[in-house]
Structures are given as C-alpha cells and as structure tokens.
C-alpha cells in the first residue's frame, strides 16, 4: 500500500513553455500533498503544501505564479511550471500523506525537468 | 529554529557489517514522529523506519533499527548485516510545520557498501 505515482518521469521543454507534472496517490486518499525540488547532491527543498480543495501554501521564496499547484481531488495534485526557463531545470518530487495517522509522507518517483 | 542535523556527509561499510548513521534535531513539539528515508540512485524516496516520540521503545524494521534519545534529541539509524542494496543517500526527517505535516530533512548521509 501507500503508492504514489508521478508523471512524466522526464520532460524536456523549450524556454518559455509551460510544463505540467501530475502526482497521484494510487491506493489511498491523500489529505495533503507536497511538492519538493531537489538539486544534485542536495537535500529536498519543500516548495509548497496543498490540501484538496484549498489553495496551496507556498514556502518563502517560491514564486506562486510560476509554480501553479492544483489539488482537485484526494488522489491528484498537479504542478505546472509556467514560462519555464533553464534555471527551472531540476528534479521535482511529490509526496502524499493521509494513508495513516502517523504523518508519514509517501513519495512519488520524481520528475526530471530540463528546460532548453 | 527547528533543524535536523546529519553530521556525516559520507559513510562506508563492509558488506555484512553494521553501520550507524547519526541525526540530531531540534524541536519544541511534545508529540511527533521521526523518520529515516533512503534515496538510492533511482532517486525514489523510500521510507526506512519511523519512530513515535512518546514511545520509549526503539523502532525496529528487520535489519534497520533506531536509537532514539529524546532528551538528547538524537535519532540514529543502525543498519545491521549491510547489503549492497543498502547503498543510498539516507535522510532523517521530522514534521516541522503545525497541522499540515510538513517535513524538515537533514542534508543526508551518502552510504557506500563495499563488497
């Protein structure tokens, strides 16, 4: 149990275009989903927290107009990188909690975004 | 500030031996969970073990166990009978943000397992 999928696993796009990444909890209802960014050889950096049906809460320094988060259902959250630029190239990881009462986050496999 | 510290950027262990990864944290919370995650080269974050802070008994999951010292705010991970597949980056983490279950991650320890 507690499986989280993420799609796509890799995406390459041109500068100025938008990219959408999907995060799904496959076998549980996710009360809260999280989006992280990870640079090479570094730890995870939380970008935002989203609850189903509510606006996402962004961490300080994260541009909410650039990184649009939608949490339309208890099993799906999406991250849209708008007007992507090369500096947005990174590894993006989502996680979900709600499978049990232990605050445990279960992670998707990540998406590698490359902006040319 | 509430932080998590992993003081060992890299560790190595011989196959079948035991290794301990350290983690210290700082919190004013009274009831919380602590976590160890591993991130192998695939970059998939995998839950290794979790510890409930108000339980005195250390958590154990097969070859993985925790040494939790609440007063010292220490939460180390012991891996027994190390296997090649244990090679990964290991992150300790704990919930840091009120009711929305945010996690703060340490900087990680890269574990190498030598055959």
């Amino acid at each position: 149990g507690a499986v989280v999928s993420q799609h796509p696993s890799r995406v390459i796009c041109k500068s100025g275009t938008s990219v959408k990444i999907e995060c799904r909890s496959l076998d549980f209802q996710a009360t809260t989903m999280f989006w992280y960014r990870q640079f090479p050889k570094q730890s995870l950096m939380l970008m935002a927290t989203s609850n189903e049906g509510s606006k996402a809460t962004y961490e300080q320094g994260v541009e909410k107009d650039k990184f649009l988060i939608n949490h339309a259902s208890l099993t799906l959250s999406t991250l849209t990188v708008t007007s992507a630029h090369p500096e947005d190239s990174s590894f993006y990881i989502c996680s979900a909690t709600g499978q049990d009462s232990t605050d445990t986050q279960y992670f998707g496999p990540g998406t590698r975004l490359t902006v040319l | 500030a509430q932080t998590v510290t992993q003081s060992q950027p890299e560790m190595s262990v011989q196959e079948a031996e035991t290794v301990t990864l350290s983690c210290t944290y700082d919190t004013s919370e009274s009831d919380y969970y602590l976590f160890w995650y591993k991130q192998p080269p695939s970059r998939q974050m995998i839950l290794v073990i979790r510890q409930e802070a108000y339980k005195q008994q250390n958590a154990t999951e097969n070859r993985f166990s925790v040494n939790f010292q609440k007063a010292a705010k220490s939460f180390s991970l012991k891996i027994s009978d190390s296997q090649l597949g244990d090679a990964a980056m290991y992150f300790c983490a704990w919930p840091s943000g009120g009711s929305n279950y945010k996690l703060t991650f340490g900087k990680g320890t890269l574990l190498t397992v030598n055959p």
Side-chain angles (χ1 to χ4, degrees):
Chain A
V3 179
V4 177
S5 70
Q6 205 171 322
H7 178 80
S9 58
R10 293 185 178 188
V11 58
I12 301 173
C13 68
K14 293 183 178 180
S15 185
T17 61
S18 295
V19 173
K20 180 184 285 188
I21 303 169
E22 290 189 350
C23 178
R24 294 181 185 271
S25 56
L26 299 185
D27 53 2
F28 67 101
Q29 291 187 327
T31 51
T32 306
M33 286 184 165
F34 305 84
W35 288 96
Y36 295 86
R37 186 172 179 176
Q38 187 180 32
F39 293 103
K41 299 185 179 181
Q42 293 190 22
S43 188
L44 278 68
M45 181 186 76
L46 180 65
M47 298 174 66
T49 304
S50 73
N51 294 292
E52 184 260 342
S54 302
K55 287 185 178 181
T57 301
Y58 291 82
E59 295 299 299
Q60 191 173 8
V62 177
E63 299 176 61
K64 60 181 65 177
D65 293 331
K66 165 167 275 294
F67 299 102
L68 300 179
I69 292 171
N70 182 275
H71 192 160
S73 75
L74 283 172
T75 60
L76 173 64
S77 177
T78 60
L79 167 68
T80 301
V81 183
T82 63
S83 186
H85 291 285
E87 58 265 30
D88 298 324
S89 298
S90 191
F91 191 68
Y92 293 88
I93 311 175
C94 73
S95 71
T97 190
Q99 194 268 347
D100 54 38
S101 61
T102 65
D103 301 350
T104 303
Q105 290 186 23
Y106 297 94
F107 286 82
T111 297
R112 176 172 299 285
L113 170 64
T114 302
V115 184
L116 302 177
Chain B
Q2 297 177 326
T3 59
V4 176
T5 302
Q6 291 180 255
S7 59
Q8 307 147 314
E10 297 184 20
M11 293 277 287
S12 64
V13 64
Q14 291 296 125
E15 197 174 2
E17 298 294 309
T18 296
V19 64
T20 298
L21 309 182
S22 66
C23 174
T24 58
Y25 64 96
D26 183 18
T27 179
S28 56
E29 303 289 328
S30 59
D31 187 17
Y32 49 91
Y33 286 87
L34 297 165
F35 304 90
W36 279 97
Y37 286 91
K38 66 181 281 189
Q39 188 179 39
S42 67
R43 303 191 77 172
Q44 167 77 60
M45 292 285 285
I46 301 167
L47 176 68
V48 175
I49 198 167
R50 64 182 169 222
Q51 171 77 44
E52 193 164 9
Y54 76 81
K55 286 187 176 179
Q56 292 187 338
Q57 186 175 8
N58 289 325
T60 299
E61 287 286 345
N62 301 313
R63 298 182 295 106
F64 299 88
S65 62
V66 162
N67 184 2
F68 176 47
Q69 303 291 328
K70 190 172 184 178
K73 295 180 180 175
S74 169
F75 178 56
S76 61
L77 174 69
K78 185 172 81 171
I79 306 174
S80 303
D81 185 25
S82 298
Q83 300 176 0
L84 295 178
D86 295 334
M89 182 71 86
Y90 286 81
F91 295 99
C92 62
W94 74 280
S96 56
S99 63
N100 59 4
Y101 313 121
K102 293 196 299 184
L103 284 180
T104 297
F105 288 85
K107 292 181 182 289
T109 296
L110 180 62
L111 179 65
T112 302
V113 180
N114 300 311

